[in-house]
Amino acid sequence: HGRFTPFGGETIHSDAAMPVAAMIREMELLHATYLNIGYHPRVLQLWRETEHRGENAFEHIARRLGHRFVAERLSYARSIRAGGSLPFELTLKNVGFASPHLPRVVAVGLLPPGATQPAHSVVLPDADPRWWGPEAGAIPLRGVLPVPAEFPRGSCRRGLRFADPSERLRDDSRYAFRLANRDIVFTAAGGWNILVEDIACD
C-alpha cells in the first residue's frame, strides 16, 4: 500500500537496542512519507547524535522522507539554431523513501537570457513521476525540443519542470518539484529547474 498511498507515523521508545540502520531499512521498505517530529523524543535525539553513512542520521532521514529526485546524467547539444531542434536525454534517480502520490505535468523548456519563463516548452506525455519510486533505479527522460524560428541569438538555458496539473497552479513554483542537486538553480517564477545555462543559439 505504501507504494501508492502516503504512509507514516511516529517512533516509539524501547529498552532494546534500536539500530538506526535497521530503522532506515524499514522506512525504505514501507515507503515512508512523513513522521511525527514530536515523538518519541528519546529516539529522535538518538538520531541527532548518531552518524549514518558519514552524515547525521536525523538529517539523512529528514531528507529522504517522501520523494527526492536527483539528476544524474544529462546529454544535450551545446549549440542550436533558430528553427532547429534540441535533442536531450536526462537520467534521474529517486533517492527518497517513496514516490510522489499526485500527478505532475513534466515539461522541458528553452529560456532566453534573463527570462523567467521559457520561450518554448513541450510536455513529456509519457512521464509520470507517480511510478518513479526508489526501486525504479535509473529514470530516463528523452525527447526533442523544437527551437522557435524567432528564438533570440546568444546563450540560453534549458529547464525542466514538474508542475501541478491545475491551470491555476501550474506556474506557481510552490507546487512544483525541485530537484535535490545543489548546483541546479530553481526559479521562483514558474518553478523551473535550470539544468543547463550555456547553450549557444546561432
Side-chain angles (χ1 to χ4, degrees), residues 28-80:
E28 292 173 338
L29 176 66
L30 299 175
H31 299 92
T33 52
Y34 67 93
L35 285 176
N36 181 358
I37 190 61
Y39 199 84
H40 188 281
R42 289 188 184 179
V43 176
L44 299 178
Q45 186 59 33
L46 170 67
W47 292 357
R48 291 186 174 97
E49 296 172 352
T50 303
E51 187 176 281
H52 177 73
R53 295 182 180 176
E55 63 177 332
N56 182 269
F58 183 91
E59 295 176 0
H60 176 92
I61 293 169
R63 281 197 300 271
R64 294 187 64 192
L65 286 171
H67 66 273
R68 185 174 174 83
F69 293 129
V70 175
E72 291 200 316
R73 186 174 64 253
L74 174 65
S75 299
Y76 67 98
R78 292 191 175 274
S79 63
I80 57 176

Side-chain angles (χ1 to χ4, degrees), residues 110-133:
L110 280 176
L111 291 82
T116 58
Q117 295 292 343
H120 185 63
S121 64
V122 295
V123 172
L124 304 179
D126 296 327
D128 188 346
R130 291 175 294 180
W131 294 97
W132 301 348

